[in-house]
Amino acid sequence: MKTLVAAAAIALAGAAQAAPVAYRTVAVDGINIAYREAGDAGKPTILLLHGVPSSSRMYDGLLRKLGDRYHLVAPDYPGFGNSDAPDPARFAYTFDNLATVMHKFTDAVGAQRYVLLMQDYGAPVGMRMALGRPQAVQAMVFQNGNVYEDGLGAMWAKRKPFWADRAAHEKDVIAVHQSVAATRARHIGSDPAIAAYDPDLWMDEYAYLNRPGQARIQADLIYDYQHNLAAYPEWQAWLKQRQLPTLVVWGKHDLAFTVPGAQAFKRDNPSAEVHILDGGHFVMDTKLDEVAAITGAFLGKLSSGAGASAGAAPAGR
């Protein structure tokens, strides 16, 4: 009985120490952008960019674990999560445009300098932001956020016919993308530890994916993704030239972005810190504590000045 009481006390103490998360909205060019925020704005800022078909919700646990030491801001892109989803007839759902909106978002919330933390779609959005405002980016964290052909899984071969002839393949591509099966598989990948995954992870995303208007939004972005692959050489050259402090955290069971994509970062930045974890595409689904510990240690080195490159200053707002 005493053991149970002690365990409960420890659990309650841990919960009490979790940083509170605020759920806010800011207008950017007439579009309401929802975002999560944790931590003191006077502390180093981390800008967290989410993947597909997720939202800032995927970072909720990480914000609570790191918000006592850092200022974390996690927006939802237009068309995702709780942000507005303007009609594609008047808003271009391209990665260029998402990056433009995210730049204006950082202006709106006063985030002038930050560490970029990117997962999945966050990588092509974040790399565009980095090239557009290199002075703003102090360090980079990639969580299954691919920028190398080495990391492209077999599924990408199925995208090429769609990119070559959108009209002929769009219906089938979107039917798969919006299905429960594909949404579930995106999380689990090849991970045999299926029981570790909360089904709400993909069922909530499935509901978001099938809201009115989402088929066209998702199709536009999947079609535009081909331009990310074309930009890989430019992004790699930028990473090689800048040599920013870089952390790579990768779930090894990801079928979309494979482990060689994580290891490839060291080709252009030999000082990049690479961690391969026993998780999936959204590695925090099952390895949140590990990701928080690794990311916290990396950010701690930046704050202390250890591991910073000649061109990078400590992160701040």
Side-chain angles (χ1 to χ4, degrees):
M1 183 66 179
K2 289 183 179 180
T3 301
L4 290 174
V5 171
I10 291 171
L12 287 172
Q17 293 171 1
V21 175
Y23 303 88
R24 309 187 192 280
T25 303
V26 65
V28 175
D29 288 345
I31 301 170
N32 290 316
I33 299 296
Y35 66 102
R36 286 166 162 82
E37 185 173 21
D40 183 344
K43 293 181 178 179
T45 296
I46 320 301
L47 178 65
L48 303 97
L49 301 175
H50 66 79
V52 65
S54 192
S55 68
S56 60
R57 177 185 174 185
M58 66 171 285
Y59 290 122
D60 209 77
L62 192 64
L63 267 65
R64 296 183 188 281
K65 288 182 176 291
L66 299 182
D68 59 334
R69 288 164 281 168
Y70 303 99
H71 174 229
L72 299 101
V73 182
D76 294 348
Y77 311 134
F80 288 78
N82 293 300
S83 288
D84 285 350
D87 189 328
R90 61 182 180 84
F91 180 89
Y93 284 93
T94 66
F95 288 90
D96 281 347
N97 206 23
L98 293 185
T100 296
V101 173
M102 289 298 100
H103 267 150
K104 292 180 179 180
F105 167 80
T106 62
D107 293 339
V109 300
Q112 299 175 345
R113 297 165 59 204
Y114 41 79
V115 173
L116 266 177
L117 196 158
M118 302 157 280
Q119 196 273 340
D120 186 59
Y121 272 19
V125 173
M127 288 305 303
R128 284 172 168 81
M129 295 179 70
L131 270 67
R133 295 184 185 177
Q135 74 283 357
V137 182
Q138 305 307 307
M140 313 186 89
V141 181
F142 295 87
Q143 285 185 21
N144 292 73
N146 193 62
V147 299
Y148 291 91
E149 287 197 18
D150 311 53
L152 296 175
M155 61 157 281
W156 290 98
K158 299 178 182 178
R159 293 284 187 260
K160 292 180 180 179
F162 175 55
W163 295 338
D165 187 347
R166 177 171 178 168
H169 299 280
E170 180 168 327
K171 183 178 179 181
D172 291 340
V173 166
I174 293 306
V176 171
H177 185 69
Q178 291 184 302
S179 69
V180 172
T183 309
R184 176 181 183 272
R186 194 176 290 110
H187 283 268
I188 294 175
S190 62
D191 194 342
I194 295 174
Y197 290 82
D198 180 354
D200 287 348
L201 291 165
W202 53 83
M203 292 308 299
D204 286 356
E205 288 177 351
Y206 170 74
Y208 274 109
L209 271 175
N210 286 275
R211 291 180 297 180
Q214 276 293 311
R216 171 68 187 277
I217 290 171
Q218 297 299 323
D220 284 356
L221 285 167
I222 293 172
Y223 185 74
D224 190 60
Y225 204 94
Q226 61 187 297
H227 299 117
N228 297 332
L229 274 61
Y232 281 0
E234 181 183 12
W235 297 346
Q236 293 159 15
W238 190 91
L239 293 171
K240 186 173 184 178
Q241 187 272 325
R242 293 287 294 178
Q243 295 294 301
L244 288 178
T246 298
L247 171 66
V248 181
V249 182
W250 217 267
K252 70 180 184 180
H253 298 294
D254 189 348
L255 297 178
F257 299 131
T258 60
V259 169
Q263 297 165 334
F265 282 92
K266 295 187 77 68
R267 189 162 63 229
D268 292 313
N269 184 349
S271 298
E273 185 179 326
V274 178
H275 295 263
I276 310 300
L277 302 185
D278 189 18
H281 177 70
F282 296 98
V283 68
M284 289 184 294
D285 284 354
T286 58
K287 302 297 177 183
L288 174 60
D289 289 343
E290 289 181 51
V291 172
I294 292 167
T295 305
F298 173 77
L299 296 174
K301 287 185 286 186
L302 294 179
S303 299
S304 67
S309 70
R317 187 176 173 113

